[in-house]
Amino acid sequence: PWEPYHAKSVPKPENLGASARQGHVSKGPITTMMLRNIPNKYAQSTLMEEIDEMGFGGTYDFFYLPMDVHNRSNVGYAFINFTTPDDAHHFHCLFKEHRFRTHQSRKISS
């Protein structure tokens, strides 16, 4: 029988900047961002609204916020693909230490 995917943990922090400088990632421009430490109460639509309100509406073509169907909450991270490397870089600058607004939390994004 089919069983929904259940995330067991959030990926651990890695120094992706150091990996990039050492050539361990693709050589193309970076357009995909991983947003971590998202408060669990956020639904995809709510998080997208908050991101769009900060000036990113229409700048991404893929957004994925995995959900834990058993607990009816997100698992704390999302993947967003921006249409340009400049938009991805701007997002990184604004969200690397973002305090979420809609659902107050002590969590700070990374």
Side-chain angles (χ1 to χ4, degrees), residues 48-57 90-91 94-95 98-101:
M48 289 174 72
E49 281 177 23
E50 187 164 325
I51 290 170
D52 290 353
E53 287 171 1
M54 293 187 68
F56 293 99
H90 184 224
F91 177 85
L94 289 181
F95 277 85
H98 176 70
R99 288 194 182 274
F100 293 94
R101 300 174 183 170

Side-chain angles (χ1 to χ4, degrees), residues 7 20 37 41-42 45 51 59 61 65 89 102 106-107:
N37 295 330
K41 293 180 181 180
Y42 274 86
S45 60
I51 290 170
T59 65
D61 57 6
L65 177 66
H89 178 73
T102 304
R106 292 181 297 181
K107 290 185 174 183

Side-chain angles (χ1 to χ4, degrees), residues 23-89:
H24 295 189
V25 295
S26 73
K27 303 291 183 196
I30 296 172
T31 58
T32 303
M33 296 282 116
M34 179 181 189
L35 182 61
R36 296 188 282 200
N37 295 330
I38 300 167
N40 299 95
K41 293 180 181 180
Y42 274 86
Q44 181 165 315
S45 60
T46 312
L47 182 57
M48 289 174 72
E49 281 177 23
E50 187 164 325
I51 290 170
D52 290 353
E53 287 171 1
M54 293 187 68
F56 293 99
T59 65
Y60 52 90
D61 57 6
F62 178 81
F63 190 101
Y64 177 57
L65 177 66
M67 300 299 289
D68 178 336
V69 295
H70 298 295
N71 293 317
R72 296 182 180 210
S73 64
N74 74 64
V75 296
Y77 61 90
F79 293 98
I80 308 160
N81 186 66
F82 292 90
T83 55
T84 70
D86 288 341
D87 288 331
H89 178 73

